[in-house]
Structures are given as structure tokens and as C-alpha cells.
Amino acid sequence: MDYTNIFVIIFLFGTLSDFIIDQALEAGNFFYRRKHGTDVPAELEGLVEKEKLEKTVAYKNARYFLWIPRVIVKTLLSLVLVLSGFYALLYMLLWNWTENFYLTVLLFSFISSIPAAVIDLPFALYREFKIEKDFGFSKMTLGMWIMDAIKELIVSLFLMVPLLCAAVFLLIHLSSWWWLLLGIFYLAFVFLASYIYPVLIAPLFNKFTPLEEGELKDALVNLMQKCGFHAKSVFVMDASKRSGHSNAYFTGLGKNKRIVLYDTLIQQLSVEEIVAVLAHELGHYKHKHILKKYCIMIPMVFVVLFVISLLIKNPSLYQGFGMMTSGLVIPEYFKFFGVFLIPIIFGDWLWVVSLISNAASRHDEFQADAFSAELCGSGEPLISALIKLNKENLSELTPPKIYCIFNYDHPPLLERISAIRNPLNKGDKKDE
């Protein structure tokens, strides 16, 4: 391993800086939570019980104490696998054994993911069957958990194998323009996956039933008609068979577009509150937030792939991580290994991008909240729903501002309540 190599330096500095930033943020949030976590803000006096806040603090602390060894082990594993030359050795062994680009890439992609999955397994099991069960969330059985893991593996293979084969084909046969064509193929694949997800993939894990006739369905249908939103149907997902957490979301494209409500959400909220939550989601639709995100994502896919296409031509990329090259000519079968290395080298710098994307997401949430308040004639039903969901999901009331900037893609509860009740204090909330 060449520790003077620029790519190795970027990897090491990124890994260590990301680790330090995460540790500092989580530790800061822990000490702040220990000091203020059970304080009931004046705005929520009489609405949130101190006992509920004590449970929230205990839940968040339990997850934090598991997170510490989990992130340490994962970081050490990444450093060992990369700096020992494990990936380079594995790739060359597979190439020498198969002498087939497709088989090498498929086997390498699968085998290289095994160490991280094995190391993470006890942490995932402890979180699901100890922490989540202790706090009344998890309804999972071990058999259900294993079946979910098998299904996730099958779905991942179904999605990843075509993408990997397409990448290999383009790298071999269209080395100059592979990045452009792969970008087109990838985006087409993403839209296809989004289209089929509600009808082919999601039902593998949960049961979706049309919302029963009644007051709630009438209210939601009227709301959607008022907004001009056309969805195939409103479905209820049996989330309670796995967890007590609640949510609602839009999914699908075209004629497969649908609204999904967790059954836990219906149990926890009133009709008026559910209407307000759906109005919030419709606010994203009316403000074209998803379309705007696509307008950013699509060109970024091509920019990233183009940069990768330039970097994989640099011999230093391979030499720094144990792959020997002769001269300036990079063998064709090396190039996928270069593509594999790029996310490892630069992945821990994505917190910079997250700062921007989280800020944009919080802005969108404020806009959607304002839309809900306007559409429902009052923001109080949404506020009531947000308070209930915050309590039921054991979410923190007042996390530190710096922690929210780095980690929250939704504004914290008190900021949302303040903005809903005082919209003039949020001048960026409406796009008139």
C-alpha cells in the first residue's frame, strides 16, 4: 500500500474525518439529550408527558450505545480490507480463475460485500430483537427476519445483476462513451423499478389492501380531487406485523401511482389528522419537489459517471491500492475495479453533499407543511398529528441545532410547529 498516493490519502482523510465528525455529533447530541431530553417545552406543555420523554431518552441512548461499537467495527473493517489489499487480491484471483470479465465482476461484487454483511449481522439482530422489542416497536420473529433477508437478497440480485452486466458490456465495447450510455441505462432502470415497485416488489414484504369505504376514504378522496392529484388508489399497509413505527408515503409512477398509509398511522391518528398528513404529502406534489429533485439528480448521474470515466484512466488509482500496472496503459479488465474503488475513496466525503441536500429537504418540508395548513384551513390538525407521531415514534423534541444541520432531512418538531403557526417568520415557505 502506497501511503503517499493521492487516492490513498483522500480515502484515509475522508474515512477518519467522517468518523470524527460523526462521533462528535453523536456524543454532543447524547450529552445534550441527557441534560435537556426530559424538559417539556412551553409550546408542548400538557401535550407531552414527562414519562414519554424519559422513554424517548432511554430509547435514543440504547440506540446510541449500540451505534458506537457498530461504527467503530465498520470503520476498522473498511480500513483493514482496503489497506491490506484484500479487494485487489480478490479481484485478481477471480480474474485469473475465470478469465471472464462478466463472471469476475459478478463474483467480486457479491463476495466483496460479505465481510461487511457478516460483521454487521450481530448489531442488526441486537437492534431488532433487543432494543426495538424492549421499547415496544418490533413485532418481528426470527423466521420473518430471515425471510425478509432472503427476499432482500433476491431483489438486490434481480436489480444489480442487469446493471453490472450493462456496465461491463459498455466498458468493454464502448470504452469512450460507456459513462453516457450507462447513465441512460441506469436512469431508465430506476424509472422502471419505481414503476413496478408498488405492484411487484413491495407486496413481497407487506400486504396492501385498498382503504375501506367510510369517513376516512371519503375525506382523502375529496382532498385529492381538490388538489387535482390522481392516484390508482389509497392502500393500507400491514406495517404493524413488523413494527409499531408509523408513516405514510406516495409511491409508483404513471398508472401504478398510489398512496400508502401504515395501519399503525390509522390507529394512532384521527381522520382530521390523517387528512392533514396527506395534505402535507400533496404539498410535495403541488410544489413539484420530486420533479425538482429529479432535475438535479439526472444531470448529476452523468457528471459523476463522467468524472469516474476520467479517474479510471489514471494508473495511480490502481497502484495506490495494490493493483500493479505497467506503464500508462490500463488493462480493460482493471477498469471495473477502478469503478469499484471510486465510491470507497470518496464515499466518506458525501457528508458535504448531505449538508446541502438536507437543507433543501428541510426547506421542502416547511413548504409542504404550509400547503397542508392552507388546504385544511388550519395548521392545528397537522400540528396535532406531528406531536402524536413524534411521541409514538419516540423522536427527540429538541436536538441540538448543529446535529439537525448534519443529520435531519426534516425540521425538528418545534421548528415545524413554529413555522406552521407563524408562516410570516418563514418567508421561503411559499412559491406563489
Side-chain angles (χ1 to χ4, degrees), residues 82-233:
V82 174
L83 300 181
S84 67
F86 168 81
Y87 291 126
L89 177 62
L90 174 63
Y91 192 85
M92 291 308 302
L93 285 174
L94 291 172
W95 170 256
N96 291 331
W97 177 48
T98 66
E99 294 188 354
N100 181 287
F101 204 166
Y102 291 94
L103 277 177
T104 298
V105 167
L106 292 173
L107 290 172
F108 174 78
S109 300
F110 178 73
I111 296 173
S112 64
S113 68
I114 292 176
V118 171
I119 288 293
D120 194 56
L121 182 60
F123 296 105
L125 288 169
Y126 185 87
R127 175 177 172 175
E128 185 67 43
F129 292 101
K130 176 60 178 174
I131 296 176
E132 295 296 309
K133 282 192 177 294
D134 282 355
F135 288 91
F137 287 123
S138 178
K139 308 296 190 301
M140 294 277 278
T141 64
L142 183 59
M144 187 185 297
W145 191 89
I146 293 172
M147 283 304 301
D148 279 355
I150 293 172
K151 291 175 185 177
E152 288 171 4
L153 176 61
I154 293 172
V155 171
S156 296
L157 291 174
F158 175 78
L159 295 175
M160 292 305 299
V161 169
L163 281 174
L164 290 172
C165 289
V168 171
F169 177 85
L170 294 172
L171 277 169
I172 294 173
H173 299 287
L174 295 161
S175 57
S176 297
W177 295 98
W178 71 267
W179 60 273
L180 179 62
L181 296 172
L182 181 59
I184 295 171
F185 181 85
Y186 170 76
L187 291 171
F189 196 81
V190 167
F191 286 116
L192 176 62
S194 298
Y195 181 78
I196 68 172
Y197 175 81
V199 294
L200 293 180
I201 299 176
L204 295 174
F205 300 91
N206 290 94
K207 183 179 180 181
F208 295 83
T209 55
L211 182 62
E212 294 180 354
E213 298 293 335
E215 180 186 4
L216 177 57
K217 184 173 182 178
D218 291 342
L220 296 183
V221 170
N222 289 335
L223 182 73
M224 289 187 288
Q225 289 176 345
K226 188 186 297 186
C227 293
F229 181 85
H230 303 286
K232 186 175 182 180
S233 186

Side-chain angles (χ1 to χ4, degrees), residues 394-405:
L394 298 181
S395 300
E396 293 178 271
L397 290 181
T398 57
K401 183 69 175 179
I402 186 66
Y403 187 84
C404 294
I405 290 173

Side-chain angles (χ1 to χ4, degrees), residues 205-425:
F205 300 91
N206 290 94
K207 183 179 180 181
F208 295 83
T209 55
L211 182 62
E212 294 180 354
E213 298 293 335
E215 180 186 4
L216 177 57
K217 184 173 182 178
D218 291 342
L220 296 183
V221 170
N222 289 335
L223 182 73
M224 289 187 288
Q225 289 176 345
K226 188 186 297 186
C227 293
F229 181 85
H230 303 286
K232 186 175 182 180
S233 186
V234 180
F235 287 83
V236 179
M237 186 179 91
D238 61 340
S240 59
K241 77 176 184 180
R242 285 183 173 80
S243 172
H245 291 292
S246 52
N247 198 6
Y249 64 90
F250 291 126
T251 186
L253 295 173
K255 68 177 184 179
N256 286 341
K257 185 166 56 177
R258 61 177 59 178
I259 296 166
V260 176
L261 306 176
Y262 283 24
D263 57 356
T264 48
L265 185 83
I266 296 175
Q267 296 163 10
Q268 294 166 3
L269 302 184
S270 68
V271 170
E272 188 181 33
E273 290 165 344
I274 295 174
V275 169
V277 170
L278 180 59
H280 167 92
E281 298 300 331
L282 288 171
H284 291 302
Y285 164 73
K286 293 298 287 186
H287 283 292
K288 298 179 173 58
H289 292 154
I290 297 175
L291 178 61
K292 291 174 182 176
K293 287 177 181 177
Y294 278 136
C295 290
I296 295 172
M297 181 199 76
I298 290 173
M300 283 301 299
V301 167
F302 292 104
V303 170
V304 169
L305 287 173
F306 176 67
V307 171
I308 291 175
S309 74
L310 298 179
L311 291 177
I312 63 174
K313 297 176 183 177
N314 190 331
S316 295
L317 176 66
Y318 307 91
Q319 294 166 356
F321 293 91
M323 191 82 85
M324 302 307 296
T325 62
S326 55
L328 299 177
V329 179
I330 309 298
E332 288 297 318
Y333 63 88
F334 271 32
K335 289 184 178 178
F336 179 82
F337 185 71
V339 174
F340 169 81
L341 283 176
I342 300 300
I344 292 178
I345 295 169
F346 295 97
D348 285 327
W349 293 94
L350 290 180
W351 61 267
V352 178
V353 178
S354 295
L355 286 175
I356 301 171
S357 64
N358 284 345
S361 178
R362 291 192 298 269
H363 169 271
D364 291 348
E365 294 302 320
F366 280 129
Q367 282 192 328
D369 283 350
F371 182 85
S372 175
E374 182 178 349
L375 190 63
C376 296
S378 169
E380 292 307 313
L382 180 61
I383 289 173
S384 176
L386 291 173
I387 292 172
K388 285 184 180 180
L389 292 174
N390 200 89
K391 290 165 57 177
E392 294 298 330
N393 289 301
L394 298 181
S395 300
E396 293 178 271
L397 290 181
T398 57
K401 183 69 175 179
I402 186 66
Y403 187 84
C404 294
I405 290 173
F406 275 84
N407 292 296
Y408 275 40
D409 57 4
H410 282 55
L413 178 62
L414 292 185
E415 286 188 21
R416 295 181 74 171
I417 293 175
S418 175
I420 292 169
R421 287 179 172 163
N422 305 285
L424 294 180
N425 293 337

